[in-house]
Amino acid sequence: MNKTLYIVRHGQTDLNKRGIIQGRGMDTDLNDEGRKQAAQFFNAYKSVPFDKIYISALKRTQQSVQPFIDLGIPYEKLHGLDELGWGVHEGKPATTENKAAFMQIMRDWLDGKLDEKFEGGESPNEVKARQLEAMKIIMSHPEEKTVLICMHGRALRLLLCILTNKPLTEMDSFPHQNLVLYKVAYDDAKFEIIDFNDAEHLKTTKN
């Protein structure tokens, strides 16, 4: 089975812009910049014959690919594509205290302590478990040759580790920004990243 996955992070939200922590529990809208990014991505990729769109259950992902949905391309929401839950820190501005807490948990994760999580939040291993379920659904449709997936920053890093058989401790080797693209090809047994952190579409000045 061959399949091509176009995996994008959602467009900018006001919380992104203000540096406020936004995880699975924050169901925010795109801001003007995010809507512009969505339009730029659509302009660059509207001729790609997507068979299906998969989004998270959070509306910022649907808003990011709504122009494709408006073309009549079928879409499905998968909770497995949601952002990692940051628990008690969600919706909070960055402070000295929580910056230190984030630095510590990132160190823990990079050290292989992948069950660590904030109170009320999720660990990388928990996100991996639900992402594997989501991928099982996505990959169970061999007739969907070209698929668009819109998800979230930290979750995107974890998914790319899973697809490329890297340990989750290497999650930070996948940079991203709002509405950046990772294009991934699946050929029978393995996934390969074809376009890595591609932001060319965001450089266009067309409205």
Side-chain angles (χ1 to χ4, degrees):
M1 178 177 75
N2 294 341
K3 198 186 276 277
T4 306
L5 310 176
Y6 288 71
I7 309 174
V8 294
R9 185 186 174 205
H10 64 81
Q12 190 187 83
T13 69
D14 274 334
L15 294 197
N16 288 146
K17 189 176 179 181
R18 288 157 52 199
I20 290 175
I21 297 151
Q22 180 178 238
R24 192 177 190 183
M26 304 296 293
D27 199 9
T28 48
D29 291 293
L30 298 190
N31 61 13
D32 287 343
E33 179 63 22
R35 286 189 288 274
K36 179 186 168 194
Q37 291 163 343
Q40 288 172 315
F41 180 72
F42 178 69
N43 282 334
Y45 291 95
K46 60 189 173 190
S47 61
V48 175
F50 292 115
D51 297 305
K52 183 77 175 275
I53 299 167
Y54 291 95
I55 55 177
S56 80
L58 302 167
K59 60 189 176 185
R60 55 190 180 271
T61 60
Q62 180 166 343
Q63 290 170 4
S64 299
V65 295
Q66 189 64 46
F68 294 95
I69 293 170
D70 291 343
L71 293 177
I73 300 169
Y75 72 99
E76 186 174 342
K77 292 182 183 180
L78 297 176
H79 288 276
L81 298 176
D82 287 358
E83 179 60 301
L84 179 141
W86 297 109
V88 292
H89 292 290
E90 292 192 10
K92 306 273 177 67
T95 62
T96 309
E97 291 77 22
N98 63 25
K99 274 184 184 166
F102 270 84
M103 290 290 288
Q104 183 56 56
I105 205 162
M106 294 297 167
R107 275 197 296 268
D108 286 344
W109 291 350
L110 297 182
D111 285 344
K113 299 173 188 167
L114 295 164
D115 291 313
E116 289 294 315
K117 58 185 174 181
F118 290 130
E119 181 188 337
E122 290 180 292
S123 70
N125 278 337
E126 287 173 320
V127 175
K128 177 180 180 177
R130 60 177 170 82
Q131 288 187 345
L132 287 171
E133 288 301 309
M135 285 307 299
K136 200 182 291 181
I137 293 167
I138 293 168
M139 299 307 290
S140 69
H141 296 282
E143 74 282 3
E144 296 168 10
K145 298 292 186 196
T146 310
V147 172
L148 176 59
I149 298 171
C150 187
M151 52 189 305
H152 306 263
R154 181 61 50 179
L156 172 65
R157 290 178 152 166
L158 294 170
L159 181 65
L160 289 168
C161 286
I162 294 168
L163 297 185
T164 57
N165 281 321
K166 284 179 183 275
L168 298 185
T169 51
E170 293 185 31
M171 61 180 94
D172 285 348
S173 62
F174 296 106
H176 59 73
Q177 63 194 69
N178 287 112
L179 247 163
V180 78
L181 169 69
Y182 278 86
K183 186 176 170 185
V184 181
Y186 179 79
D187 184 6
D188 285 330
K190 71 179 183 64
F191 292 93
E192 183 184 355
I193 296 175
I194 301 170
D195 289 338
F196 184 94
N197 195 35
D198 184 356
E200 278 303 309
H201 50 278
L202 299 175
K203 294 174 184 167
T204 170
T205 52
K206 275 196 297 189
N207 291 324

